[in-house]
Amino acid sequence: MKRILLLLFTFCAVLAFTPANAKKKQTKQLTEREYWCQEAWKMAQPVLENMAKGELQKNMKTEFSPSFDNRNRKVVYMETFGRLMAGIAPWLSLPDDDTAEGQQRRQLREWALASYKNSVDPDSPDYLCWGSAGQNLVDAAYIAESFVRGYDALWVPLDQVTKDRYIAEFKKLRSIEPPYTNWFLFSSVIESFIAKAAGLKEYDDFRVMMTIRKVEEWYVGDGWYADGPHFAFDYYSSYVFHSMFLETLQNMIDAKASTRLEYKKYYDRALKRAQKYSIILERFISPEGTFPVVGRSIPYRLAALQPMALMAWYQKLPKELSNGQVRAALTQVMHRMYDQQNNYNDGGFLTIGFCGHQPETADWYTNNGSLYLTSLSLMPLGLPADHDFWTCPAEPWTQVKAWNGQPFPKDHRWADDIQTKDRY
């Protein structure tokens, strides 16, 4: 009976944050996956349909932080495209089918492939501003990350001219000196992708090796990384560290690189750290589907939960987290954030804010292209519809149990149990 009551609580909580007018328009109650797909389509369609035609820079309704610096404002388009694709690449990598979702997915993939081509074609109106600002290193990394996450579906089908152009553009970014922060990982994701896609003779080994050593130095325990030498209580462990560190290491494994570092051991240890951090993120989610608003870059919205979404997509959630509770928690946060607030402008593009239009939340580097990092929460869509993540019963997450007098697992410190040393 207690389990039934808790499930009813979760279901009712989700319904509580669905606006009445949305209910009237829907002829049937959406499944959780249908709801996720609806949000993914809403986010991606205006971007990819325009960019596939070379019209994103013409038609996108942009917005910049009130304190935006004097960099080239065309960075907004690179941020929009790279960050969006990093989040939806797993979904677009699923095989085609004739379902309504499959038709949307196929259309988005066709637009995405055309957009990838336009972004490096100097003759396209949507050629991105490669190398015009330091910011380009960041969003080139998210484009590279999208190729990592959708290698067979998004990188392999590109024509050779387009592939060569990407490798050339990625290499030019070596002229950008990253600050002594999470930015090291942007270089390492790009270089390790070059190693995987173009061969070990083409990548800059030092940028990868130095990043791995520094990220290890910046690990402070219990799943948290410091953003450089000093710890900050923000979500940069979510936005950058866990995902890009794992992807850098996996790229080097895939490229069969042989260096001083034992990449597989580094990967296995980083995976355990990401699992611990996912446990913490799940515990941050309140029964109402809110989570703490702390630190800078908070307009990235649901990107704060990326590691948990990544572990779900990898099918590597720790035993402390079930598919049913993670799906229910993420769905509740989406309903809480997206259903009742105006997160999009009248052109269909994201607005600056956390839960609605809140321009005062912007940092000096924020534009509304930056906000497409929220798509990173959508990675579980890369699991097919018949996967247990989508078919298992919804379960109450930790805070639902804790605040309703039900048994819940106590937390504890996680210590590293994998040691690494240089091979020579």
Side-chain angles (χ1 to χ4, degrees), residues 340-398:
Q340 289 186 311
Q341 305 295 338
N342 181 19
N343 292 283
Y344 292 87
N345 61 36
D346 56 14
F349 300 95
L350 284 170
T351 59
I352 294 176
F354 176 72
C355 186
H357 185 217
Q358 300 154 305
E360 70 281 358
T361 63
D363 295 283
W364 56 268
Y365 47 79
T366 307
N367 59 67
N368 66 327
S370 314
L371 318 180
Y372 283 85
L373 216 61
T374 192
S375 70
L376 300 177
S377 64
L378 298 170
M379 283 186 285
L381 281 174
L383 298 170
D386 60 358
H387 188 275
D388 181 71
F389 182 86
W390 297 107
T391 61
C392 69
E395 297 180 36
W397 52 100
T398 302

Side-chain angles (χ1 to χ4, degrees), residues 40 44 48 83-93 108 375 378-379:
L48 297 183
R83 297 176 186 217
L84 171 68
M85 291 309 304
I88 66 172
W91 185 39
L92 301 193
S93 297
L108 289 174
S375 70
L378 298 170
M379 283 186 285

